[in-house]
Amino acid sequence: MANQPKKYTKFVATAATATLVASAIVPVASAAGFSDVANTNSHSENINALVEAGIIQGYPDGTFKPNQELTRGQVVKMLGKWVEAQGFDIPADYATKARFNDLAVNAKDQELVKYAALVADTGVFNGSNGALNAGGKITRENMALVLDRAYKAINKTTLVELAAEIEDVKVADLTTAKAEAREAIQALRDLGISVVENFNPKNTVTRGQFASFLNKTINTEAKEVELTVKEAVAVDATTLNVTLSDDTTHVVTLEKALEANVATEVTFKIKGKEYTATVTFKVEAPKVMSVNIVDGLTVEVKFSEAVLKSDINNKVSIQGTTLDTAALSEDGKTLTLNSPTAINVKDAALVVEPVRTAKDRLVKTAKYVSVVTYKDEVAPAIASVKAATKGKATETVTVTLTEAATADTAKINGQAATISKVEGKVITLTGVTVEAGKTHTVELFNVVDAAGNKTVKASKAFEVTVDTVAPTATIEAAGDNAILVTFDKPMNVASVEAALANGIIKDELLAAVTSDTAKVVANSNDKQFLVELKDNAIFANKDSRVFTVVLGGKMTDALGNKFAATTKTVTLTKDAAKPVATGYDIIVDEDGKVEEIVVEFNEALAAKSGINFGSIATVVNEEGKVDSKLNTLTGSVEKGSKKVSFKFGTPVLVEGKFAVTFNQNLVTDLALAANQSAAFNMTFDFGTAKTSTEFEMAANAVTTSGDTITVNFPTEVKGGAVAGSATDLANYTLDGKALTGATITISDNNKKATIKLAEGTITEDNNTAVLKVFNVQNLAGTKTVKAYEQTIAVQDTKAPELTSAVIIDNQTIELTYNEAVRLGGGTFASDFSLIVDGQAHSATLATPAAVVGKDNTLRVTLSAPINFALADTVNVKVIGNAAVTDKGARTNAQKLNIEVKAK
């Protein structure tokens, strides 16, 4: 049952010390009949009430043990039963997803596993450092906290909020409780759930005491409140997702469509009550939301909206990485690619080219450009271990790792195990018998992922799940000539195919009906099998037949549990209805030309190819004349599809409306006695063709060589001193900056612009510089380039400059430059002049060496010692540029005629 939360607000008590023990649950005296709970016991009434409600129970010997200390596991079960009784579902994944690190999903106490998942997911019970500690005792202060949280989960308000307007009743030892529990303890006292002045926060709780606390909490009432709109979000122009103040959600359809990106006040009704809210229908251009590298091998690209499956290939690139064919998620929003080797990149260009959207094929996502650094340095570990049997033991253990990896060897309980299969993250082990009812340990050695990260030894404890339940099956009609058999668990496919062969289907007189052997349904986890009838005469005398299906007892599930032989009946009804056309779709290319016309039908169709549109349809244009514009369309149908696809050999520009009459027998359904479509009419509205005012650049249209950039246009473009010229510097930027000082020339065929960067424009090598091209027009001036950007590699064009000279001793000088430098091939002495008091000195800068730790500094030994006087003015001047260059790819020679004063 889905949760139907109640609506509550703060309770205002009629008296400050009111005891709120309402009579929502009226117990019968001694209803539980526990031998150790007398009617005079102060907790008996509450114990009996909770027994009647199915929340607590006694022991097999007829006792309740009211004075026994309560464990945390018992609290979880009782609170879980209360929460469940209020309309909360047990989480569907309770048996596969552990909520606490010390309570396995396959633990023997499945009742505890189930209710632990429920109280964890509803926020009632959080545990300590991820552990439940089910056997530990619960303190009174922690009991107060979980009662407050449980009340909140059910009533949408806490006990603390409920007691907020009640004058506090004295709790003498409140300050001895931990700070986070004090409000809950005070609320229990104010609401009469606790009736003692000293609460004793650190003490444990007995079973009888907790029964009284819990029953009184259950029967504490709150008042209903007027609901308000907590949040209203526009999903589309006419649909809102509304959350009310009780946290319930509702889908609301508006009568009038919202204007995009405008805050609008709207009024709507929910369950007959009128609400008002201000909402904004936000519409953004489609874009890449994120690009992530997963497990070192997989790249995931997420889009803001669904993209077109036919336009996803060759759209994603990472510099220095090979990516395989892209795969698109079912919702069309996630693109997944894999690398055959571990991805290891630094400052690599990551590009996602524009992709057409599924909603409008003329609209593309914005180009995405980023720089990515990635290296997988996390070693693989064991995520989970599974083993199951129908008996006492199994020899198959499945280990799931945190990422795809291999292992050298494996052990189970110290015995060598065989690695029989490795599929990505999953490693299957065999060869060691593991018994149910015991805890086992699996060990994997030298677990290595694709990036080479190694875990020398990975281990994990596990238990064997016992499944001795026989599989069951249901059957249903699948059309008028097939039967679908569905089992409640994965089956041994070979055993099912052997059992469900020709002869298992009987007619009303129990005579065999010819059928194919059952075939497992793809992606059904080996649970569904389809049996097709092959007797074309089954509807010869009547339109409805009742068949008996013999399900043999030789079938087994994947663990070997045997299916109990049985028979089941199913009714097949003749399909005599002709397939009916329900609509059409027109698919156009980027220029608005028609690529394809799709006619949709109401049911699955038989395969058909080579349908000539001109021979199966008559087309009349808006002038009332027969038109042959669509005659060259060729159609086809894939088996099982509900669509007929008509395509042009090359896209054709089509405008206006056309009345189309389709002849009978265009398509055939998949019924046993196949039905063909009747003649029908449709009006195709192609609208007014969109004339594009833009032209697009091809991917990777820009190339570089040194300080030269070449831009290749797909069409002839303007050049010279005119608007929209490809030689206008204003129509380009590099990393967001103007190409100041550059020169641009146009090729003879007007399709190539060559940009020569100015000397010194680029100050360092950059493999991910972004060049943008815009405003360039075609030669006719009718179209402008669609803004284009591409990452390119550019090289440092700036010459290094000498910035300082320092005299170390009478024969040593250190020269420092404004960037990293290295020695070139020239003669060092001839590139510098030493000037003392204005006169060139005979000593030369002869022997250079780089200074360790300073890649922009050279230590030079003079050809002869000089006794520098303090009053001397010593300068160093660059007179040649062969000996020193920078460290860039272009090795720019040092700048000439730089003169610095030595210090």
Side-chain angles (χ1 to χ4, degrees):
M1 183 173 83
N3 174 25
Q4 298 293 331
K6 302 174 184 178
K7 313 171 187 70
Y8 291 94
T9 188
K10 292 181 180 178
F11 177 82
V12 181
T14 56
T17 59
T19 301
L20 304 179
V21 186
S23 56
I25 300 176
V26 181
V28 178
S30 301
F34 296 120
S35 61
D36 57 349
V37 182
N39 289 343
T40 56
N41 188 302
S42 61
H43 303 298
S44 64
E45 183 176 330
N46 294 303
I47 291 171
N48 290 335
L50 294 181
V51 170
E52 290 290 325
I55 293 175
I56 62 175
Q57 60 189 29
Y59 290 88
D61 63 358
T63 64
F64 181 74
K65 297 182 174 38
N67 298 320
Q68 186 181 77
E69 290 179 307
L70 192 71
T71 67
R72 292 163 62 87
Q74 291 168 336
V75 172
V76 165
K77 290 182 181 181
M78 286 187 270
L79 290 179
K81 290 176 182 178
W82 176 33
V83 172
E84 182 184 31
Q86 304 308 308
F88 288 76
D89 287 332
I90 299 295
D93 61 351
Y94 82 89
T96 57
K97 177 184 175 183
R99 269 54 174 192
F100 300 97
N101 57 30
D102 59 348
L103 180 63
V105 294
N106 57 356
K108 289 183 180 180
D109 192 345
Q110 284 295 295
E111 184 182 48
L112 178 60
V113 173
K114 176 172 67 173
Y115 288 119
L118 177 59
V119 297
D121 286 7
T122 53
V124 173
F125 207 97
N126 299 327
S128 176
N129 296 321
L132 176 61
N133 189 18
K137 306 300 187 291
I138 190 167
T139 62
R140 290 168 64 88
E141 61 185 356
N142 284 337
M143 175 200 67
L145 284 171
V146 296
L147 287 175
D148 189 57
R149 292 168 185 160
Y151 197 87
K152 166 73 171 178
I154 291 170
N155 298 312
K156 305 305 176 187
T157 187
T158 64
L159 293 171
V160 172
E161 292 170 338
L162 208 61
E165 298 181 36
I166 300 175
E167 183 179 348
D168 284 345
V169 184
K170 183 179 180 182
V171 180
D173 56 356
L174 186 62
T175 57
T176 66
K178 59 184 180 181
E180 65 174 308
R182 292 172 189 171
E183 283 190 332
I185 293 170
Q186 185 65 61
L188 294 182
R189 183 74 168 114
D190 293 344
L191 295 169
I193 297 171
S194 170
V195 294
V196 294
E197 186 172 310
N198 284 295
F199 188 75
N200 296 315
K202 306 299 182 184
N203 286 4
T204 57
V205 186
T206 68
R207 286 167 54 82
Q209 290 169 344
F210 187 74
S212 291
F213 277 115
L214 179 56
N215 192 43
K216 290 178 182 180
T217 299
I218 290 172
N219 289 285
T220 297
E221 296 180 344
K223 287 186 177 180
E224 193 166 348
V225 70
E226 279 292 309
L227 296 177
T228 58
V229 175
K230 183 177 181 180
E231 183 182 41
V233 178
V235 178
D236 54 41
T238 58
T239 307
L240 304 181
N241 279 347
V242 179
T243 303
L244 298 180
S245 54
D246 64 348
D247 289 330
T248 57
T249 57
H250 308 267
V251 178
V252 174
T253 302
L254 302 176
E255 294 182 0
K256 183 179 178 181
L258 296 168
E259 185 178 349
N261 299 319
V262 176
T264 307
E265 185 177 278
V266 293
T267 301
F268 49 88
K269 288 185 177 181
I270 297 176
K271 295 183 178 179
K273 183 183 175 183
E274 191 171 89
Y275 297 88
T276 300
T278 298
V279 296
T280 302
F281 173 41
K282 296 180 180 179
V283 177
E284 298 180 354
K287 62 183 179 181
V288 173
M289 301 297 290
S290 64
V291 181
N292 292 305
I293 299 174
V294 183
D295 293 341
L297 293 172
T298 305
V299 179
E300 285 186 351
V301 182
K302 295 188 179 295
F303 297 93
S304 60
E305 63 177 79
V307 297
L308 195 61
K309 188 174 183 179
S310 61
D311 195 33
I312 61 174
N313 292 324
N314 303 315
K315 297 295 184 179
V316 183
S317 63
I318 298 177
Q319 188 179 18
T321 301
T322 300
L323 298 175
D324 64 10
T325 303
L328 190 63
S329 62
E330 189 173 342
D331 65 2
K333 292 184 178 182
T334 302
L335 203 59
T336 302
L337 306 98
N338 292 294
S339 172
T341 57
I343 298 173
N344 184 357
V345 292
K346 182 177 181 181
D347 295 332
L350 187 158
V351 180
V352 183
E353 299 292 345
V355 183
R356 296 192 207 181
T357 62
K359 185 177 180 181
D360 187 342
R361 296 176 182 232
L362 292 182
V363 176
K364 288 186 175 183
T365 60
K367 185 171 183 176
Y368 180 91
V369 179
S370 181
V371 176
V372 62
T373 295
Y374 182 88
K375 183 179 182 181
D376 180 6
E377 296 180 322
V378 179
I382 297 176
S384 63
V385 183
K386 288 186 178 180
T389 181
K390 72 164 186 174
K392 295 181 179 180
T394 182
E395 288 192 356
T396 301
V397 177
T398 302
V399 182
T400 301
L401 303 175
T402 53
E403 59 181 305
T406 59
D408 281 351
T409 56
K411 290 182 179 180
I412 298 175
N413 299 333
Q415 297 182 27
T418 301
I419 300 176
S420 59
K421 186 188 297 182
V422 179
E423 294 180 327
K425 298 180 180 181
V426 181
I427 295 179
T428 302
L429 306 179
T430 56
V432 176
T433 301
V434 285
E435 298 179 17
K438 297 181 180 180
T439 300
H440 307 279
T441 301
V442 64
E443 296 171 304
L444 297 179
F445 298 90
N446 296 322
V447 186
V448 183
D449 65 15
N453 299 302
K454 179 191 287 187
T455 298
V456 176
K457 176 183 175 181
S459 64
K460 196 173 186 68
F462 69 97
E463 294 180 359
V464 179
T465 300
V466 178
D467 179 3
T468 59
V469 179
T472 61
T474 59
I475 65 173
E476 60 184 301
D480 69 351
N481 64 338
I483 297 169
L484 182 68
V485 183
T486 302
F487 294 90
D488 66 337
K489 57 172 68 176
M491 299 296 289
N492 179 301
V493 174
S495 72
V496 176
E497 291 177 343
L500 302 186
N502 183 32
I504 64 159
I505 300 176
K506 313 293 183 181
D507 64 14
E508 294 85 347
L509 299 177
L510 299 184
V513 179
T514 304
S515 67
D516 270 348
T517 297
K519 295 180 177 63
V520 65
V521 177
N523 301 317
S524 69
N525 194 24
D526 296 341
K527 289 183 177 182
Q528 291 187 317
F529 294 79
L530 192 69
V531 182
E532 292 190 47
L533 282 69
K534 291 302 179 183
D535 187 347
N536 292 327
I538 61 173
F539 296 117
N541 300 316
K542 56 176 69 175
D543 292 342
S544 181
R545 298 288 302 275
V546 178
F547 295 99
T548 299
V549 181
V550 179
L551 302 175
K554 293 185 179 181
M555 296 184 291
T556 62
D557 64 18
L559 290 176
N561 293 302
K562 192 174 180 181
F563 181 85
T566 186
T567 60
K568 293 182 179 291
T569 59
V570 63
T571 301
L572 300 185
T573 302
K574 181 180 180 180
D575 178 3
K578 297 177 181 291
V580 176
T582 58
Y584 71 94
D585 187 19
I586 298 173
I587 299 169
V588 298
D589 66 9
E590 297 172 358
D591 295 324
K593 295 180 179 180
V594 177
E595 294 180 329
E596 181 181 3
I597 300 173
V598 178
V599 180
E600 300 168 351
F601 285 81
N602 65 334
E603 61 177 310
L605 305 172
K608 191 174 183 179
S609 61
I611 308 172
N612 183 273
F613 195 93
S615 63
I616 55 89
T618 302
V619 180
V620 177
N621 61 27
E622 290 179 285
E623 298 176 355
K625 298 178 180 178
V626 174
D627 198 301
S628 61
K629 190 165 292 183
L630 306 181
N631 285 0
T632 58
L633 286 164
T634 301
S636 63
V637 186
E638 292 184 10
K639 182 180 179 180
S641 172
K642 294 183 179 181
K643 299 178 179 180
V644 184
S645 171
F646 293 99
K647 295 182 178 181
F648 283 113
T650 56
V652 175
L653 184 64
V654 186
E655 296 183 80
K657 294 181 180 180
F658 294 85
V660 183
T661 301
F662 287 94
N663 300 339
Q664 63 181 1
N665 304 334
L666 171 62
V667 293
T668 305
D669 65 14
L670 293 175
L672 192 61
N675 303 293
Q676 294 185 309
S677 59
F680 63 96
N681 297 310
M682 274 188 166
T683 298
F684 291 161
D685 186 354
F686 295 93
T688 302
K690 298 177 182 178
T691 302
S692 176
T693 59
E694 293 182 325
F695 68 89
E696 290 192 37
M697 303 277 285
N700 301 315
V702 180
T703 58
T704 61
S705 177
D707 58 357
T708 302
I709 301 172
T710 303
V711 182
N712 297 285
F713 293 97
T715 186
E716 294 177 315
V717 294
K718 292 181 178 179
V722 295
S725 172
T727 59
D728 187 345
L729 290 174
N731 293 334
Y732 305 86
T733 62
L734 186 61
D735 273 345
K737 300 177 182 178
L739 300 181
T740 304
T743 58
I744 307 179
T745 57
I746 194 79
S747 63
D748 291 341
N749 65 0
N750 283 77
K751 287 187 175 183
K752 183 183 296 183
T754 301
I755 304 171
K756 178 75 171 178
L757 297 176
E759 189 74 20
T761 302
I762 308 301
T763 58
E764 62 180 349
D765 292 353
N766 184 358
N767 290 329
T768 55
V770 178
L771 180 76
K772 292 187 177 181
V773 185
F774 44 88
N775 294 338
V776 176
Q777 295 180 350
N778 65 353
L779 201 57
T782 57
K783 293 185 178 183
T784 302
V785 67
K786 186 173 183 179
Y788 176 82
E789 57 184 33
Q790 180 183 324
T791 55
I792 61 174
V794 293
Q795 296 175 349
D796 181 359
T797 63
K798 188 174 181 63
E801 295 182 21
L802 181 66
T803 58
S804 68
V806 176
I807 298 173
I808 305 300
D809 54 40
N810 66 353
Q811 201 172 353
T812 309
I813 297 177
E814 281 191 355
L815 305 179
T816 299
Y817 290 81
N818 64 343
E819 62 176 301
V821 294
R822 59 185 169 191
L823 297 176
T827 303
F828 196 85
S830 62
D831 278 2
F832 297 89
S833 174
L834 185 65
I835 303 170
V836 180
D837 289 337
Q839 298 295 319
H841 198 281
S842 60
T844 58
L845 283 66
T847 308
V851 177
V852 176
K854 296 181 180 181
D855 59 1
N856 65 334
T857 302
L858 298 173
R859 177 165 287 188
V860 181
T861 301
L862 300 179
S863 59
I866 299 177
N867 293 319
F868 295 110
L870 290 177
D872 290 346
T873 299
V874 180
N875 287 0
V876 176
K877 183 176 181 180
V878 179
I879 58 175
N881 63 358
V884 178
T885 68
D886 63 18
K887 287 190 174 182
R890 296 182 70 236
T891 60
N892 300 294
Q894 66 177 335
K895 190 172 183 179
L896 292 171
N897 301 318
I898 300 293
E899 185 173 338
V900 296
K901 183 178 179 181
K903 300 175 184 179

